[in-house]
Short mmCIF file of all heavy atoms in Angstrom, two decimals:
data_model
loop_
_atom_site.label_atom_id
_atom_site.label_comp_id
_atom_site.label_asym_id
_atom_site.label_seq_id
_atom_site.Cartn_x
_atom_site.Cartn_y
_atom_site.Cartn_z
N PRO A 115 -50.46 27.96 33.74
CA PRO A 115 -50.55 29.45 33.69
C PRO A 115 -49.65 30.14 34.77
O PRO A 115 -49.52 29.73 35.90
CB PRO A 115 -52.11 29.65 34.13
CG PRO A 115 -52.52 28.39 34.69
CD PRO A 115 -51.75 27.31 34.08
N ASN A 116 -49.15 31.18 34.30
CA ASN A 116 -48.29 32.16 35.04
C ASN A 116 -46.88 31.66 35.31
O ASN A 116 -46.02 32.43 35.83
CB ASN A 116 -48.98 32.59 36.33
CG ASN A 116 -50.24 33.37 36.13
OD1 ASN A 116 -50.22 34.35 35.37
ND2 ASN A 116 -51.36 33.00 36.69
N LEU A 117 -46.65 30.44 35.01
CA LEU A 117 -45.26 29.94 35.26
C LEU A 117 -44.24 30.52 34.31
O LEU A 117 -43.03 30.52 34.60
CB LEU A 117 -45.28 28.39 35.33
CG LEU A 117 -46.04 27.85 36.56
CD1 LEU A 117 -46.54 26.46 36.35
CD2 LEU A 117 -45.03 27.88 37.74
N MET A 119 -43.83 33.51 34.29
CA MET A 119 -43.46 34.73 35.09
C MET A 119 -42.37 34.36 36.06
O MET A 119 -41.92 35.25 36.80
CB MET A 119 -44.64 35.32 35.80
CG MET A 119 -45.78 35.70 34.96
SD MET A 119 -45.45 37.19 34.02
CE MET A 119 -45.60 38.38 35.36
N LEU A 120 -42.01 33.15 36.18
CA LEU A 120 -41.02 32.72 37.15
C LEU A 120 -39.72 33.55 37.03
O LEU A 120 -39.30 33.87 35.92
CB LEU A 120 -40.61 31.24 36.98
CG LEU A 120 -41.66 30.23 37.50
CD1 LEU A 120 -41.17 28.82 37.16
CD2 LEU A 120 -41.89 30.37 39.00
N THR A 122 -39.37 36.53 37.99
CA THR A 122 -39.56 37.96 37.90
C THR A 122 -40.20 38.51 39.21
O THR A 122 -39.95 39.71 39.56
CB THR A 122 -40.53 38.33 36.78
OG1 THR A 122 -41.77 37.70 36.99
CG2 THR A 122 -40.03 37.83 35.43
N ARG A 123 -41.05 37.68 39.83
CA ARG A 123 -41.77 38.11 41.09
C ARG A 123 -41.91 36.91 42.00
O ARG A 123 -41.72 35.78 41.60
CB ARG A 123 -43.20 38.57 40.73
CG ARG A 123 -43.17 39.86 39.97
CD ARG A 123 -44.53 40.56 40.08
NE ARG A 123 -44.46 41.73 39.28
CZ ARG A 123 -44.92 41.87 38.07
NH1 ARG A 123 -45.55 40.81 37.55
NH2 ARG A 123 -44.73 42.92 37.40
N GLU A 124 -42.18 37.16 43.33
CA GLU A 124 -42.42 36.23 44.27
C GLU A 124 -41.35 35.15 44.43
O GLU A 124 -41.66 33.91 44.48
CB GLU A 124 -43.82 35.48 44.07
CG GLU A 124 -44.95 36.51 44.02
CD GLU A 124 -46.30 35.82 44.06
OE1 GLU A 124 -46.53 34.88 44.86
OE2 GLU A 124 -47.19 36.25 43.26
N TYR A 128 -41.54 31.04 44.82
CA TYR A 128 -41.37 30.24 43.66
C TYR A 128 -39.88 30.05 43.23
O TYR A 128 -39.60 29.41 42.24
CB TYR A 128 -42.19 30.70 42.48
CG TYR A 128 -43.66 30.72 42.72
CD1 TYR A 128 -44.39 31.89 42.68
CD2 TYR A 128 -44.37 29.51 43.08
CE1 TYR A 128 -45.79 31.85 42.97
CE2 TYR A 128 -45.74 29.54 43.31
CZ TYR A 128 -46.46 30.71 43.29
OH TYR A 128 -47.79 30.66 43.52
N ASN A 179 -46.57 20.79 35.96
CA ASN A 179 -46.93 21.74 36.96
C ASN A 179 -48.16 22.42 36.39
O ASN A 179 -47.99 23.33 35.56
CB ASN A 179 -45.87 22.67 37.29
CG ASN A 179 -46.26 23.64 38.38
OD1 ASN A 179 -47.42 23.78 38.79
ND2 ASN A 179 -45.26 24.29 38.96
N GLY A 181 -50.02 24.57 37.68
CA GLY A 181 -50.35 25.88 38.23
C GLY A 181 -51.64 25.97 38.83
O GLY A 181 -52.07 24.93 39.39
N ALA A 182 -52.38 27.07 38.74
CA ALA A 182 -53.65 27.17 39.40
C ALA A 182 -54.72 26.27 38.78
O ALA A 182 -55.70 25.96 39.44
CB ALA A 182 -54.11 28.67 39.33
N HIS A 185 -56.12 23.27 40.77
CA HIS A 185 -57.16 23.44 41.78
C HIS A 185 -58.54 23.62 41.15
O HIS A 185 -59.56 23.68 41.87
CB HIS A 185 -56.92 24.60 42.66
CG HIS A 185 -55.42 24.70 43.08
ND1 HIS A 185 -54.74 23.72 43.68
CD2 HIS A 185 -54.53 25.67 42.84
CE1 HIS A 185 -53.47 24.06 43.90
NE2 HIS A 185 -53.31 25.27 43.38
N VAL A 204 -45.94 18.23 39.72
CA VAL A 204 -44.96 18.96 40.41
C VAL A 204 -45.43 20.31 40.76
O VAL A 204 -46.10 20.96 39.97
CB VAL A 204 -43.68 19.14 39.58
CG1 VAL A 204 -42.69 20.04 40.23
CG2 VAL A 204 -43.03 17.80 39.26
N HIS A 205 -45.24 20.78 42.04
CA HIS A 205 -45.46 22.17 42.43
C HIS A 205 -44.17 22.63 43.09
O HIS A 205 -43.57 22.00 43.86
CB HIS A 205 -46.58 22.23 43.48
CG HIS A 205 -47.90 21.83 42.84
ND1 HIS A 205 -48.65 22.64 42.06
CD2 HIS A 205 -48.56 20.67 42.98
CE1 HIS A 205 -49.76 21.99 41.69
NE2 HIS A 205 -49.68 20.79 42.25
N LEU A 206 -43.84 23.88 42.74
CA LEU A 206 -42.63 24.48 43.30
C LEU A 206 -42.80 24.75 44.77
O LEU A 206 -41.93 24.43 45.56
CB LEU A 206 -42.35 25.82 42.59
CG LEU A 206 -42.00 25.70 41.08
CD1 LEU A 206 -42.29 27.04 40.36
CD2 LEU A 206 -40.50 25.38 40.90
N SER A 207 -43.99 25.28 45.15
CA SER A 207 -44.24 25.57 46.53
C SER A 207 -45.02 24.46 47.21
O SER A 207 -45.50 23.53 46.54
CB SER A 207 -45.18 26.82 46.63
OG SER A 207 -46.45 26.60 46.00
N ILE A 209 -47.99 23.37 48.52
CA ILE A 209 -49.43 23.84 48.43
C ILE A 209 -50.18 23.62 49.69
O ILE A 209 -51.19 24.31 49.94
CB ILE A 209 -50.13 23.22 47.20
CG1 ILE A 209 -50.17 21.72 47.25
CG2 ILE A 209 -49.58 23.74 45.89
CD1 ILE A 209 -51.00 21.05 46.15
N ARG A 212 -50.03 26.61 52.27
CA ARG A 212 -50.56 27.85 51.72
C ARG A 212 -52.05 27.93 51.87
O ARG A 212 -52.65 27.20 52.76
CB ARG A 212 -50.16 27.97 50.27
CG ARG A 212 -48.65 27.89 50.10
CD ARG A 212 -48.19 28.08 48.71
NE ARG A 212 -48.50 29.43 48.23
CZ ARG A 212 -48.54 29.80 46.96
NH1 ARG A 212 -48.15 28.95 46.03
NH2 ARG A 212 -48.84 31.12 46.63
N ARG A 216 -55.66 26.02 47.77
CA ARG A 216 -54.55 25.34 47.02
C ARG A 216 -54.41 23.84 47.54
O ARG A 216 -53.52 23.15 46.99
CB ARG A 216 -53.24 26.03 47.21
CG ARG A 216 -53.23 27.41 46.59
CD ARG A 216 -51.83 28.02 46.61
NE ARG A 216 -51.86 29.45 46.58
CZ ARG A 216 -52.04 30.20 45.41
NH1 ARG A 216 -51.98 29.57 44.23
NH2 ARG A 216 -52.11 31.52 45.45
O1 CA2 B 110 -46.29 25.91 43.60
C1 CA2 B 110 -46.56 25.77 42.36
O2 CA2 B 110 -45.79 25.35 41.54
C2 CA2 B 110 -47.95 26.20 41.88
O3 CA2 B 110 -48.43 25.25 40.97
C3 CA2 B 110 -47.82 27.59 41.27
C4 CA2 B 110 -49.06 28.21 40.84
C5 CA2 B 110 -50.15 28.23 41.97
O4 CA2 B 110 -51.34 28.70 41.53
C6 CA2 B 110 -50.30 26.81 42.53
O5 CA2 B 110 -51.19 26.85 43.58
C7 CA2 B 110 -48.98 26.24 42.99
C8 CA2 B 110 -48.90 29.70 40.41
C9 CA2 B 110 -47.78 29.97 39.48
C10 CA2 B 110 -47.58 31.50 39.47
O6 CA2 B 110 -46.21 31.75 39.13
C11 CA2 B 110 -45.75 32.95 39.38
C12 CA2 B 110 -44.41 33.15 39.20
C13 CA2 B 110 -43.83 34.39 39.36
C14 CA2 B 110 -44.60 35.48 39.75
C15 CA2 B 110 -45.91 35.28 39.95
C16 CA2 B 110 -46.52 34.03 39.83
#
Side-chain angles (χ1 to χ4, degrees):
N116 295 310
L117 288 156
M119 301 289 286
L120 284 175
T122 62
R123 290 202 183 98
E124 302 190 46
Y128 299 120
N179 182 345
H185 320 303
V204 172
H205 296 282
L206 294 157
S207 64
I209 55 175
R212 302 184 65 195
R216 297 186 202 275

